[in-house]
PDB file of all heavy atoms in Angstrom:
ATOM      1  N   GLU A  21      -0.819 103.353 -14.311  1.00 96.00           N
ATOM      2  CA  GLU A  21      -2.189 103.756 -14.626  1.00 96.00           C
ATOM      3  C   GLU A  21      -3.139 102.569 -14.658  1.00 96.00           C
ATOM      4  O   GLU A  21      -4.336 102.714 -14.402  1.00 96.00           O
ATOM      5  CB  GLU A  21      -2.232 104.464 -15.991  1.00 96.00           C
ATOM      6  CG  GLU A  21      -1.726 105.898 -15.970  1.00 96.00           C
ATOM      7  CD  GLU A  21      -1.802 106.534 -17.345  1.00 96.00           C
ATOM      8  OE1 GLU A  21      -2.246 105.840 -18.310  1.00 96.00           O
ATOM      9  OE2 GLU A  21      -1.402 107.700 -17.474  1.00 96.00           O
ATOM     10  N   GLN A  22      -2.613 101.383 -14.965  1.00 96.00           N
ATOM     11  CA  GLN A  22      -3.483 100.226 -15.195  1.00 96.00           C
ATOM     12  C   GLN A  22      -3.388  99.141 -14.132  1.00 96.00           C
ATOM     13  O   GLN A  22      -4.123  98.144 -14.217  1.00 96.00           O
ATOM     14  CB  GLN A  22      -3.181  99.622 -16.571  1.00 96.00           C
ATOM     15  CG  GLN A  22      -3.485 100.592 -17.718  1.00 96.00           C
ATOM     16  CD  GLN A  22      -3.335  99.915 -19.071  1.00 96.00           C
ATOM     17  OE1 GLN A  22      -4.051  98.971 -19.394  1.00 96.00           O
ATOM     18  NE2 GLN A  22      -2.392 100.404 -19.856  1.00 96.00           N
ATOM     19  N   VAL A  23      -2.497  99.281 -13.159  1.00 96.00           N
ATOM     20  CA  VAL A  23      -2.463  98.321 -12.059  1.00 96.00           C
ATOM     21  C   VAL A  23      -3.191  98.927 -10.872  1.00 96.00           C
ATOM     22  O   VAL A  23      -3.244 100.151 -10.712  1.00 96.00           O
ATOM     23  CB  VAL A  23      -1.016  97.934 -11.675  1.00 96.00           C
ATOM     24  CG1 VAL A  23      -0.316  97.273 -12.852  1.00 96.00           C
ATOM     25  CG2 VAL A  23      -0.222  99.136 -11.188  1.00 96.00           C
ATOM     26  N   ARG A  24      -3.733  98.066 -10.047  1.00 90.00           N
ATOM     27  CA  ARG A  24      -4.574  98.587  -8.974  1.00 90.00           C
ATOM     28  C   ARG A  24      -3.781  98.903  -7.704  1.00 90.00           C
ATOM     29  O   ARG A  24      -4.262  99.618  -6.832  1.00 90.00           O
ATOM     30  CB  ARG A  24      -5.692  97.596  -8.674  1.00 90.00           C
ATOM     31  CG  ARG A  24      -5.253  96.305  -8.025  1.00 90.00           C
ATOM     32  CD  ARG A  24      -6.410  95.339  -7.873  1.00 90.00           C
ATOM     33  NE  ARG A  24      -6.062  94.179  -7.084  1.00 90.00           N
ATOM     34  CZ  ARG A  24      -6.762  93.066  -7.053  1.00 90.00           C
ATOM     35  NH1 ARG A  24      -7.865  92.971  -7.796  1.00 90.00           N
ATOM     36  NH2 ARG A  24      -6.395  92.043  -6.303  1.00 90.00           N
ATOM     37  N   GLY A  25      -2.563  98.344  -7.571  1.00 87.00           N
ATOM     38  CA  GLY A  25      -1.762  98.606  -6.390  1.00 87.00           C
ATOM     39  C   GLY A  25      -2.252  97.815  -5.191  1.00 87.00           C
ATOM     40  O   GLY A  25      -3.365  97.262  -5.219  1.00 87.00           O
ATOM     41  N   PRO A  26      -1.437  97.719  -4.151  1.00 95.00           N
ATOM     42  CA  PRO A  26      -0.105  98.328  -4.073  1.00 95.00           C
ATOM     43  C   PRO A  26       0.913  97.570  -4.916  1.00 95.00           C
ATOM     44  O   PRO A  26       0.721  96.393  -5.223  1.00 95.00           O
ATOM     45  CB  PRO A  26       0.228  98.223  -2.586  1.00 95.00           C
ATOM     46  CG  PRO A  26      -0.480  96.974  -2.135  1.00 95.00           C
ATOM     47  CD  PRO A  26      -1.781  96.970  -2.920  1.00 95.00           C
ATOM     48  N   VAL A  27       1.996  98.266  -5.268  1.00 97.00           N
ATOM     49  CA  VAL A  27       3.120  97.634  -5.949  1.00 97.00           C
ATOM     50  C   VAL A  27       4.421  98.163  -5.351  1.00 97.00           C
ATOM     51  O   VAL A  27       4.444  99.221  -4.715  1.00 97.00           O
ATOM     52  CB  VAL A  27       3.124  97.912  -7.472  1.00 97.00           C
ATOM     53  CG1 VAL A  27       1.856  97.406  -8.134  1.00 97.00           C
ATOM     54  CG2 VAL A  27       3.319  99.403  -7.755  1.00 97.00           C
ATOM     55  N   PHE A  28       5.472  97.396  -5.543  1.00 96.00           N
ATOM     56  CA  PHE A  28       6.823  97.846  -5.241  1.00 96.00           C
ATOM     57  C   PHE A  28       7.594  97.944  -6.557  1.00 96.00           C
ATOM     58  O   PHE A  28       7.253  97.281  -7.542  1.00 96.00           O
ATOM     59  CB  PHE A  28       7.555  96.858  -4.321  1.00 96.00           C
ATOM     60  CG  PHE A  28       6.885  96.641  -2.987  1.00 96.00           C
ATOM     61  CD1 PHE A  28       6.611  95.346  -2.538  1.00 96.00           C
ATOM     62  CD2 PHE A  28       6.528  97.694  -2.184  1.00 96.00           C
ATOM     63  CE1 PHE A  28       6.008  95.121  -1.321  1.00 96.00           C
ATOM     64  CE2 PHE A  28       5.911  97.495  -0.946  1.00 96.00           C
ATOM     65  CZ  PHE A  28       5.655  96.207  -0.518  1.00 96.00           C
ATOM     66  N   LEU A  29       8.633  98.750  -6.572  1.00 96.00           N
ATOM     67  CA  LEU A  29       9.559  98.771  -7.692  1.00 96.00           C
ATOM     68  C   LEU A  29      10.809  97.994  -7.311  1.00 96.00           C
ATOM     69  O   LEU A  29      11.083  97.795  -6.127  1.00 96.00           O
ATOM     70  CB  LEU A  29       9.953 100.212  -8.053  1.00 96.00           C
ATOM     71  CG  LEU A  29       8.832 101.198  -8.371  1.00 96.00           C
ATOM     72  CD1 LEU A  29       9.433 102.524  -8.847  1.00 96.00           C
ATOM     73  CD2 LEU A  29       7.868 100.651  -9.388  1.00 96.00           C
ATOM     74  N   HIS A  30      11.558  97.577  -8.305  1.00 95.00           N
ATOM     75  CA  HIS A  30      12.832  96.921  -8.048  1.00 95.00           C
ATOM     76  C   HIS A  30      13.917  97.583  -8.887  1.00 95.00           C
ATOM     77  O   HIS A  30      13.762  97.731 -10.098  1.00 95.00           O
ATOM     78  CB  HIS A  30      12.752  95.430  -8.378  1.00 95.00           C
ATOM     79  CG  HIS A  30      13.968  94.664  -7.926  1.00 95.00           C
ATOM     80  ND1 HIS A  30      14.265  93.401  -8.359  1.00 95.00           N
ATOM     81  CD2 HIS A  30      14.975  95.007  -7.089  1.00 95.00           C
ATOM     82  CE1 HIS A  30      15.385  92.982  -7.803  1.00 95.00           C
ATOM     83  NE2 HIS A  30      15.837  93.946  -7.038  1.00 95.00           N
ATOM     84  N   TRP A  31      14.987  97.984  -8.214  1.00 94.00           N
ATOM     85  CA  TRP A  31      16.137  98.596  -8.870  1.00 94.00           C
ATOM     86  C   TRP A  31      17.315  97.648  -8.685  1.00 94.00           C
ATOM     87  O   TRP A  31      17.877  97.541  -7.608  1.00 94.00           O
ATOM     88  CB  TRP A  31      16.424  99.958  -8.272  1.00 94.00           C
ATOM     89  CG  TRP A  31      17.442 100.776  -9.031  1.00 94.00           C
ATOM     90  CD1 TRP A  31      18.232 100.367 -10.063  1.00 94.00           C
ATOM     91  CD2 TRP A  31      17.755 102.156  -8.818  1.00 94.00           C
ATOM     92  NE1 TRP A  31      19.023 101.388 -10.499  1.00 94.00           N
ATOM     93  CE2 TRP A  31      18.749 102.503  -9.759  1.00 94.00           C
ATOM     94  CE3 TRP A  31      17.291 103.110  -7.913  1.00 94.00           C
ATOM     95  CZ2 TRP A  31      19.303 103.786  -9.804  1.00 94.00           C
ATOM     96  CZ3 TRP A  31      17.833 104.389  -7.968  1.00 94.00           C
ATOM     97  CH2 TRP A  31      18.824 104.713  -8.911  1.00 94.00           C
ATOM     98  N   LEU A  32      17.650  96.934  -9.737  1.00 89.00           N
ATOM     99  CA  LEU A  32      18.720  95.936  -9.710  1.00 89.00           C
ATOM    100  C   LEU A  32      19.953  96.519 -10.392  1.00 89.00           C
ATOM    101  O   LEU A  32      19.857  97.098 -11.473  1.00 89.00           O
ATOM    102  CB  LEU A  32      18.263  94.669 -10.432  1.00 89.00           C
ATOM    103  CG  LEU A  32      19.172  93.432 -10.347  1.00 89.00           C
ATOM    104  CD1 LEU A  32      19.141  92.848  -8.952  1.00 89.00           C
ATOM    105  CD2 LEU A  32      18.728  92.387 -11.366  1.00 89.00           C
ATOM    106  N   GLY A  33      21.099  96.360  -9.753  1.00 87.00           N
ATOM    107  CA  GLY A  33      22.322  96.935 -10.292  1.00 87.00           C
ATOM    108  C   GLY A  33      22.975  96.086 -11.366  1.00 87.00           C
ATOM    109  O   GLY A  33      22.698  94.888 -11.495  1.00 87.00           O
ATOM    110  N   PRO A  34      23.877  96.679 -12.152  1.00 88.00           N
ATOM    111  CA  PRO A  34      24.528  95.970 -13.256  1.00 88.00           C
ATOM    112  C   PRO A  34      25.478  94.865 -12.798  1.00 88.00           C
ATOM    113  O   PRO A  34      25.859  94.021 -13.609  1.00 88.00           O
ATOM    114  CB  PRO A  34      25.282  97.077 -13.999  1.00 88.00           C
ATOM    115  CG  PRO A  34      25.473  98.160 -12.981  1.00 88.00           C
ATOM    116  CD  PRO A  34      24.258  98.107 -12.114  1.00 88.00           C
ATOM    117  N   MET A  35      25.834  94.838 -11.510  1.00 84.00           N
ATOM    118  CA  MET A  35      26.664  93.732 -11.029  1.00 84.00           C
ATOM    119  C   MET A  35      25.893  92.417 -11.038  1.00 84.00           C
ATOM    120  O   MET A  35      26.478  91.346 -11.055  1.00 84.00           O
ATOM    121  CB  MET A  35      27.234  94.023  -9.641  1.00 84.00           C
ATOM    122  CG  MET A  35      26.211  94.107  -8.523  1.00 84.00           C
ATOM    123  SD  MET A  35      25.175  95.594  -8.656  1.00 84.00           S
ATOM    124  CE  MET A  35      26.419  96.872  -8.497  1.00 84.00           C
ATOM    125  N   PHE A  36      24.569  92.496 -11.032  1.00 84.00           N
ATOM    126  CA  PHE A  36      23.739  91.301 -11.150  1.00 84.00           C
ATOM    127  C   PHE A  36      23.390  91.011 -12.610  1.00 84.00           C
ATOM    128  O   PHE A  36      23.256  89.862 -13.002  1.00 84.00           O
ATOM    129  CB  PHE A  36      22.440  91.476 -10.357  1.00 84.00           C
ATOM    130  CG  PHE A  36      22.628  91.510  -8.873  1.00 84.00           C
ATOM    131  CD1 PHE A  36      22.477  92.692  -8.170  1.00 84.00           C
ATOM    132  CD2 PHE A  36      22.956  90.366  -8.178  1.00 84.00           C
ATOM    133  CE1 PHE A  36      22.644  92.731  -6.793  1.00 84.00           C
ATOM    134  CE2 PHE A  36      23.134  90.381  -6.804  1.00 84.00           C
ATOM    135  CZ  PHE A  36      22.972  91.574  -6.107  1.00 84.00           C
ATOM    136  N   LEU A  37      23.192  92.072 -13.395  1.00 84.00           N
ATOM    137  CA  LEU A  37      22.819  91.924 -14.800  1.00 84.00           C
ATOM    138  C   LEU A  37      23.421  93.107 -15.554  1.00 84.00           C
ATOM    139  O   LEU A  37      22.964  94.244 -15.412  1.00 84.00           O
ATOM    140  CB  LEU A  37      21.296  91.901 -14.942  1.00 84.00           C
ATOM    141  CG  LEU A  37      20.724  91.494 -16.299  1.00 84.00           C
ATOM    142  CD1 LEU A  37      21.119  90.049 -16.641  1.00 84.00           C
ATOM    143  CD2 LEU A  37      19.207  91.634 -16.301  1.00 84.00           C
ATOM    144  N   ALA A  38      24.455  92.823 -16.353  1.00 88.00           N
ATOM    145  CA  ALA A  38      25.227  93.896 -16.993  1.00 88.00           C
ATOM    146  C   ALA A  38      24.380  94.812 -17.863  1.00 88.00           C
ATOM    147  O   ALA A  38      24.671  96.010 -17.992  1.00 88.00           O
ATOM    148  CB  ALA A  38      26.356  93.292 -17.817  1.00 88.00           C
ATOM    149  N   SER A  39      23.311  94.279 -18.441  1.00 90.00           N
ATOM    150  CA  SER A  39      22.484  95.084 -19.337  1.00 90.00           C
ATOM    151  C   SER A  39      21.680  96.155 -18.608  1.00 90.00           C
ATOM    152  O   SER A  39      21.001  96.965 -19.245  1.00 90.00           O
ATOM    153  CB  SER A  39      21.536  94.184 -20.135  1.00 90.00           C
ATOM    154  OG  SER A  39      20.696  93.442 -19.275  1.00 90.00           O
ATOM    155  N   LEU A  40      21.750  96.175 -17.272  1.00 92.00           N
ATOM    156  CA  LEU A  40      21.038  97.194 -16.503  1.00 92.00           C
ATOM    157  C   LEU A  40      21.918  98.400 -16.170  1.00 92.00           C
ATOM    158  O   LEU A  40      21.531  99.248 -15.361  1.00 92.00           O
ATOM    159  CB  LEU A  40      20.479  96.588 -15.210  1.00 92.00           C
ATOM    160  CG  LEU A  40      19.359  95.555 -15.394  1.00 92.00           C
ATOM    161  CD1 LEU A  40      18.969  94.954 -14.055  1.00 92.00           C
ATOM    162  CD2 LEU A  40      18.144  96.173 -16.076  1.00 92.00           C
ATOM    163  N   GLU A  41      23.073  98.512 -16.794  1.00 93.00           N
ATOM    164  CA  GLU A  41      23.930  99.674 -16.594  1.00 93.00           C
ATOM    165  C   GLU A  41      23.165 100.939 -17.008  1.00 93.00           C
ATOM    166  O   GLU A  41      22.618 101.029 -18.090  1.00 93.00           O
ATOM    167  CB  GLU A  41      25.197  99.552 -17.451  1.00 93.00           C
ATOM    168  CG  GLU A  41      26.196 100.668 -17.235  1.00 93.00           C
ATOM    169  CD  GLU A  41      26.837 100.624 -15.865  1.00 93.00           C
ATOM    170  OE1 GLU A  41      27.272  99.520 -15.454  1.00 93.00           O
ATOM    171  OE2 GLU A  41      26.888 101.680 -15.207  1.00 93.00           O
ATOM    172  N   GLY A  42      23.117 101.914 -16.086  1.00 94.00           N
ATOM    173  CA  GLY A  42      22.428 103.162 -16.379  1.00 94.00           C
ATOM    174  C   GLY A  42      20.926 103.133 -16.165  1.00 94.00           C
ATOM    175  O   GLY A  42      20.222 104.047 -16.607  1.00 94.00           O
ATOM    176  N   TYR A  43      20.430 102.094 -15.478  1.00 96.00           N
ATOM    177  CA  TYR A  43      18.988 102.016 -15.234  1.00 96.00           C
ATOM    178  C   TYR A  43      18.531 103.194 -14.381  1.00 96.00           C
ATOM    179  O   TYR A  43      19.266 103.693 -13.540  1.00 96.00           O
ATOM    180  CB  TYR A  43      18.634 100.698 -14.548  1.00 96.00           C
ATOM    181  CG  TYR A  43      17.212 100.260 -14.797  1.00 96.00           C
ATOM    182  CD1 TYR A  43      16.859  99.637 -15.988  1.00 96.00           C
ATOM    183  CD2 TYR A  43      16.215 100.489 -13.869  1.00 96.00           C
ATOM    184  CE1 TYR A  43      15.552  99.243 -16.241  1.00 96.00           C
ATOM    185  CE2 TYR A  43      14.907 100.099 -14.098  1.00 96.00           C
ATOM    186  CZ  TYR A  43      14.581  99.482 -15.294  1.00 96.00           C
ATOM    187  OH  TYR A  43      13.284  99.103 -15.547  1.00 96.00           O
ATOM    188  N   PHE A  44      17.300 103.634 -14.581  1.00 97.00           N
ATOM    189  CA  PHE A  44      16.731 104.822 -13.947  1.00 97.00           C
ATOM    190  C   PHE A  44      17.633 106.049 -14.166  1.00 97.00           C
ATOM    191  O   PHE A  44      18.203 106.603 -13.226  1.00 97.00           O
ATOM    192  CB  PHE A  44      16.486 104.599 -12.455  1.00 97.00           C
ATOM    193  CG  PHE A  44      15.306 103.725 -12.137  1.00 97.00           C
ATOM    194  CD1 PHE A  44      15.440 102.666 -11.249  1.00 97.00           C
ATOM    195  CD2 PHE A  44      14.066 103.951 -12.715  1.00 97.00           C
ATOM    196  CE1 PHE A  44      14.350 101.853 -10.947  1.00 97.00           C
ATOM    197  CE2 PHE A  44      12.973 103.146 -12.420  1.00 97.00           C
ATOM    198  CZ  PHE A  44      13.116 102.098 -11.533  1.00 97.00           C
ATOM    199  N   PRO A  45      17.788 106.492 -15.406  1.00 97.00           N
ATOM    200  CA  PRO A  45      18.655 107.629 -15.697  1.00 97.00           C
ATOM    201  C   PRO A  45      18.109 108.934 -15.117  1.00 97.00           C
ATOM    202  O   PRO A  45      16.902 109.090 -14.918  1.00 97.00           O
ATOM    203  CB  PRO A  45      18.652 107.679 -17.232  1.00 97.00           C
ATOM    204  CG  PRO A  45      17.344 107.071 -17.621  1.00 97.00           C
ATOM    205  CD  PRO A  45      17.103 105.979 -16.609  1.00 97.00           C
ATOM    206  N   GLY A  46      19.025 109.866 -14.848  1.00 97.00           N
ATOM    207  CA  GLY A  46      18.637 111.177 -14.348  1.00 97.00           C
ATOM    208  C   GLY A  46      17.833 111.076 -13.064  1.00 97.00           C
ATOM    209  O   GLY A  46      18.202 110.369 -12.134  1.00 97.00           O
ATOM    210  N   ARG A  47      16.710 111.772 -13.022  1.00 98.00           N
ATOM    211  CA  ARG A  47      15.831 111.773 -11.844  1.00 98.00           C
ATOM    212  C   ARG A  47      14.629 110.848 -12.051  1.00 98.00           C
ATOM    213  O   ARG A  47      13.614 110.979 -11.358  1.00 98.00           O
ATOM    214  CB  ARG A  47      15.348 113.192 -11.545  1.00 98.00           C
ATOM    215  CG  ARG A  47      16.424 114.172 -11.125  1.00 98.00           C
ATOM    216  CD  ARG A  47      15.823 115.513 -10.676  1.00 98.00           C
ATOM    217  NE  ARG A  47      14.894 115.329  -9.574  1.00 98.00           N
ATOM    218  CZ  ARG A  47      13.556 115.397  -9.683  1.00 98.00           C
ATOM    219  NH1 ARG A  47      12.994 115.600 -10.885  1.00 98.00           N
ATOM    220  NH2 ARG A  47      12.777 115.247  -8.624  1.00 98.00           N
ATOM    221  N   SER A  48      14.749 109.929 -12.984  1.00 98.00           N
ATOM    222  CA  SER A  48      13.591 109.097 -13.311  1.00 98.00           C
ATOM    223  C   SER A  48      13.090 108.302 -12.111  1.00 98.00           C
ATOM    224  O   SER A  48      11.871 108.155 -11.921  1.00 98.00           O
ATOM    225  CB  SER A  48      13.909 108.159 -14.482  1.00 98.00           C
ATOM    226  OG  SER A  48      15.021 107.333 -14.195  1.00 98.00           O
TER     227      SER A  48
END
């Protein structure tokens, strides 16, 4: 809502950072 864009998202897996296990749950 507050950035003007364009932007990209980044989805990093837990093999790179263990604390990201379960990131983007469900259909998020």
Side-chain angles (χ1 to χ4, degrees):
E21 283 180 0
Q22 297 187 63
V23 299
R24 69 185 188 196
V27 301
F28 300 128
L29 304 186
H30 189 195
W31 190 351
L32 188 71
M35 66 290 298
F36 291 108
L37 191 63
S39 59
L40 293 176
E41 184 68 47
Y43 205 80
F44 286 130
R47 294 187 58 255
S48 58

